[in-house]
């Protein structure tokens, strides 16, 4: 009888252990990005029209959103299974290291400093530093900014690049966000706004600004946008690269560019070859 009781207890414990293991397996499957889980967490910007924007109805729109949605689909996730996570520029590396997100598509330029902390798939877009000016502006080159009012965000390397090397006599105005700069351009308080051309095109493409602005088309720098992945996760990098190649080959990439940047007259570069960085 004693042996029977011990055996029954052991069997019960084994059943409990197996049940717990099964439940744990389900939890681990979610958010891994391996496909078939309940959801996948993806980092994007919430405040960049044309790139990544949270809209008043709670939905999300922009080129990075379209790219990330396509990639997630190739990883086995439908749009409804994506949980969008706001990843501001200063938080991107930390979010990946902690596992807060599976990957990040957020106007994330590939450079050596970042590559020391995260791995990148792509690039999926070659952007350039540019100027946004009013549609009737005569500003056509960087030196035309001497004596003019230039706006960018606080601490922007884009604005400092112009101030230091292109137009040292430009009057630099710094705001906390690009929305404030765009409003200043609209009112005439500044003559130009500078950052990546893709970001500027996204703002200019908004319905409320339709026809008011244009890109100068100066190509003052090369910005290779990549999809950030946790350092060492080469399997996910390979899967995303395959997805990006498919997005280009089936025409979805061109469709996303036209949809998000077309209204601003953005003359985009051709889709970059995966693994090719333009310096």
């Amino acid at each position: 009888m004693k042996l029977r009781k011990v055996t029954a207890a052991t069997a019960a414990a084994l059943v409990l252990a197996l049940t717990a293991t099964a439940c744990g397996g389900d939890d681990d499957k979610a958010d891994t990005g391996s496909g078939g889980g309940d959801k996948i967490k993806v980092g994007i910007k919430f405040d960049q029209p044309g790139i990544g924007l949270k809209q008043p109805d709670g939905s999300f729109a922009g080129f990075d959103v379209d790219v990330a949605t396509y990639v997630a689909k190739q990883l086995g996730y439908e749009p409804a299974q994506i949980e969008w996570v706001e990843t501001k520029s200063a938080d991107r590396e930390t979010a990946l290291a902690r596992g807060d997100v599976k990957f990040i598509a957020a106007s994330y330029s590939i450079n050596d400093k970042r590559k020391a902390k995260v791995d990148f798939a792509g690039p999926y877009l070659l952007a350039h530093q540019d100027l946004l000016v009013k549609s009737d502006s005569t500003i056509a080159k960087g030196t035309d900014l001497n004596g003019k009012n230039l706006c960018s965000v606080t601490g922007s390397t884009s604005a400092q690049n112009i101030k230091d090397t292109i137009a040292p006599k430009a009057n630099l105005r710094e705001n906390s966000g690009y929305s404030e700069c765009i409003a200043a351009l609209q009112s005439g308080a500044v003559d130009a706004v500078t950052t990546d051309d893709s970001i500027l095109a996204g703002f200019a493409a908004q319905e409320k600004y339709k026809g008011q602005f244009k890109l100068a088309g100066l190509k003052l720098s090369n910005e290779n946008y990549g999809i950030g992945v946790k350092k060492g996760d080469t399997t996910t990098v390979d899967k995303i690269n395959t997805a990006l190649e498919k997005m280009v080959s089936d025409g979805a990439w061109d469709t996303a560019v036209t949809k998000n940047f077309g209204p601003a007259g953005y003359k985009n570069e051709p889709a970059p070859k995966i693994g090719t960085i333009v310096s």
Side-chain angles (χ1 to χ4, degrees):
M1 290 294 295
K2 186 175 182 181
L3 180 59
R4 283 182 174 178
K5 289 181 180 180
V6 172
T7 302
T10 302
L14 179 59
V15 170
L16 288 173
L18 289 171
T19 302
T21 301
C23 292
D26 288 342
D27 289 341
D28 291 341
K29 193 174 183 180
D31 302 321
T32 63
S34 58
D38 293 332
K39 59 185 177 180
I40 183 171
K41 293 183 179 180
V42 179
I44 57 170
K45 293 290 182 65
F46 277 20
D47 59 352
Q48 289 184 344
I51 299 290
L53 181 69
K54 185 175 183 179
Q55 302 187 103
D57 64 359
S59 62
F60 297 88
F63 182 69
D64 283 351
V65 175
D66 289 344
V67 170
T69 300
Y70 189 100
V71 168
K73 174 73 172 179
Q74 299 305 306
L75 294 180
Y77 294 89
E78 297 298 327
Q81 294 176 284
I82 300 173
E83 181 178 335
W84 301 109
V85 178
E86 182 176 22
T87 48
K88 296 181 179 180
S89 296
D91 302 330
R92 290 178 294 204
E93 287 82 21
T94 301
L96 287 169
R98 285 193 312 231
D100 295 344
V101 294
K102 187 63 180 179
F103 65 83
I104 292 176
S107 55
Y108 203 178
S109 296
I110 302 171
N111 60 40
D112 290 339
K113 183 178 179 181
R114 289 169 179 164
K115 284 165 67 177
K117 298 179 181 178
V118 304
D119 285 337
F120 283 99
Y124 63 92
L125 182 72
L126 175 59
H128 306 282
Q129 183 187 344
D130 201 357
L131 302 175
L132 189 69
V133 296
K134 282 194 171 181
S135 56
D136 60 354
S137 174
T138 58
I139 294 174
K141 55 185 183 298
T143 53
D144 290 342
L145 289 170
N146 282 311
K148 303 289 187 181
N149 297 317
L150 173 67
C151 189
S152 195
V153 299
T154 303
S156 167
T157 56
S158 298
Q160 207 58 48
N161 178 39
I162 289 179
K163 184 72 174 173
D164 290 345
T165 64
I166 299 172
K169 294 182 180 179
N171 303 311
L172 178 59
R173 169 175 171 173
E174 295 180 297
N175 285 321
S176 60
Y178 287 110
S179 294
E180 291 90 338
C181 282
I182 301 299
L185 179 62
Q186 185 182 38
S187 70
V190 300
D191 301 293
V193 179
T194 188
T195 186
D196 297 353
D197 53 6
S198 57
I199 297 173
L200 296 173
F203 276 103
Q206 288 187 290
E207 185 64 31
K208 63 181 177 181
Y209 298 131
K210 189 174 182 179
Q212 296 185 43
F213 307 129
K214 65 181 180 181
L215 292 165
L218 301 188
K219 298 184 179 180
L220 300 173
S221 71
N222 294 321
E223 306 296 334
N224 298 274
Y225 286 6
I227 293 182
V229 176
K230 187 175 183 178
K231 190 70 176 175
D233 189 359
T234 56
T235 298
T236 298
V237 169
D238 291 343
K239 288 180 179 179
I240 292 176
N241 280 336
T242 298
L244 292 174
E245 289 172 345
K246 183 177 180 182
M247 186 177 187
V248 172
S249 66
D250 69 12
W253 188 90
D254 286 317
T255 298
V257 169
T258 301
K259 167 188 167 186
N260 293 292
F261 303 131
Y266 177 54
K267 296 178 176 60
N268 64 283
E269 298 280 4
K273 183 178 180 181
I274 298 300
T276 302
I277 305 298
V278 178
S279 58

